[in-house]
């Protein structure tokens, strides 16, 4: 069974440019998460989807970040415009949903803003 | 005070040692508890998942939860150099996972 797939693995952009990350969760997983991980820190939630609905986006900086999960499967996270402080690893994870909260992570996208 | 506290280490042990990794938490509503292993430049990998207080064993790994003390532990027996990684505790309520900062473990041959 394929795991969570993220692309790209690495991205280098200049500040003020837009960037997008893509995630394909494990088949059948209803819950999808986007996490941000800074060096030496644990992952921090940006947004959680239950199927197509964003049920927890309280930590998403909505002035520059946006996300969507079309048809309740794949998801895209966008930053526009990017700032130097956005340099981090962006992790996507999925879980079955409901009481099954154990989440499985992708390899992440390492973003560097210069 | 963060909801989940975890000593960042590094924790250095010789091969074959028993390793104890710990987290404390403040939110008594947390219901599910997980341990992840993360190698450098990789995504977190789920190791253990528990719900109730008590112990859960899987091979060389034992997860322990004490809800009354708000304290969870991961024990690794017969540690190997390949166990060298960062170990993250995570806990959830209502579907959202909250992570500790992670403890870096170094197992020397």
């Amino acid at each position: 069974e394929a795991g969570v797939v993220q692309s790209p693995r690495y991205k280098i952009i200049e500040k003020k440019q837009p960037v997008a990350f893509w995630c394909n969760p494990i088949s059948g997983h209803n819950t999808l998460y986007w996490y941000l991980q800074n060096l030496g820190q644990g992952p921090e939630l940006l947004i959680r989807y239950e199927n197509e609905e964003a049920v927890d986006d309280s930590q998403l900086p909505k002035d520059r970040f946006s996300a969507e999960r079309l048809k309740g499967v794949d998801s895209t996270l966008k930053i526009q415009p990017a700032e130097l402080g956005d340099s981090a690893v962006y992790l996507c994870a999925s879980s079955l949903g409901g009481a099954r909260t154990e989440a499985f992570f992708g390899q992440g996208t390492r973003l560097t803003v210069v | 005070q963060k909801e989940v506290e975890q000593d960042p280490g590094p924790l250095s042990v010789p091969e074959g040692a028993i390793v104890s990794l710990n987290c404390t938490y403040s939110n008594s509503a947390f219901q599910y508890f997980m341990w992840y292993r993360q190698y450098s430049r990789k995504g977190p990998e789920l190791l253990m998942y528990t719900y109730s207080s008590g112990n859960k064993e899987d091979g060389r790994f034992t997860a322990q939860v004490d809800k009354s003390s708000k304290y969870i532990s991961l024990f690794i027996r017969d540690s190997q150099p390949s166990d060298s990684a960062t170990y993250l505790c995570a806990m959830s309520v209502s579907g959202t996972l909250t992570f500790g900062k992670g403890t870096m473990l170094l197992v020397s041959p």
Side-chain angles (χ1 to χ4, degrees):
Chain A
E1 179 181 312
V4 177
V5 179
Q6 290 187 246
S7 68
R9 286 293 315 277
Y10 304 92
K11 189 74 175 179
I12 301 174
I13 62 170
E14 293 183 344
K15 63 182 180 182
K16 300 185 182 180
Q17 294 302 304
V19 64
F21 314 125
W22 175 81
C23 174
N24 180 238
I26 293 172
S27 177
H29 280 197
N30 296 320
T31 304
L32 184 145
Y33 310 82
W34 283 102
Y35 279 88
L36 168 74
Q37 187 174 27
N38 287 303
L39 188 65
Q41 303 294 316
E44 298 176 9
L45 181 72
L46 289 172
I47 190 167
R48 174 169 67 97
Y49 282 94
E50 296 291 344
N51 298 303
E52 293 181 350
E53 182 182 1
V55 296
D56 186 351
D57 63 355
S58 57
Q59 300 304 311
L60 188 72
K62 298 182 183 63
D63 57 335
R64 297 185 301 107
F65 286 65
S66 65
E68 61 182 6
R69 189 181 184 195
L70 298 176
K71 301 181 181 179
V73 182
D74 294 2
S75 178
T76 303
L77 178 69
K78 298 178 181 178
I79 308 174
Q80 181 170 11
E83 297 179 352
L84 295 176
D86 296 330
S87 295
V89 176
Y90 291 82
L91 293 163
C92 179
S94 68
S95 67
L96 282 169
R100 300 298 302 274
T101 59
E102 64 270 42
F104 298 87
F105 282 82
Q107 297 288 22
T109 297
R110 183 175 298 273
L111 174 67
T112 303
V113 182
V114 297
Chain B
Q1 181 192 13
K2 297 199 69 147
E3 280 191 296
V4 180
E5 298 282 356
Q6 186 175 10
D7 188 330
L11 175 62
S12 296
V13 301
E15 183 176 357
I18 297 174
V19 175
S20 173
L21 303 165
N22 311 296
C23 286
T24 59
Y25 61 96
S26 57
N27 186 352
S28 58
F30 284 134
Q31 298 173 302
Y32 303 94
F33 305 89
M34 285 143 277
W35 285 96
Y36 287 83
R37 177 175 63 195
Q38 187 173 27
Y39 292 112
S40 180
R41 297 186 175 270
K42 301 290 187 182
E45 172 194 7
L46 180 65
L47 284 177
M48 300 288 285
Y49 173 77
T50 60
Y51 171 71
S52 58
S53 285
N55 294 350
K56 181 178 180 180
E57 188 174 319
D58 184 0
R60 295 187 296 113
F61 299 93
T62 299
Q64 188 175 81
V65 174
D66 183 347
K67 289 186 177 181
S68 62
S69 301
K70 300 190 184 69
Y71 188 90
I72 68 171
S73 300
L74 178 70
F75 299 96
I76 307 175
R77 292 184 298 280
D78 188 24
S79 56
Q80 302 296 309
S82 58
D83 294 328
S84 297
T86 295
Y87 289 80
L88 298 154
C89 64
M91 33 204 91
S92 70
V93 58
S94 302
T96 293
L97 276 68
T98 301
F99 285 82
K101 294 177 68 170
T103 299
M104 181 182 293
L105 172 66
L106 302 171
V107 182
S108 54

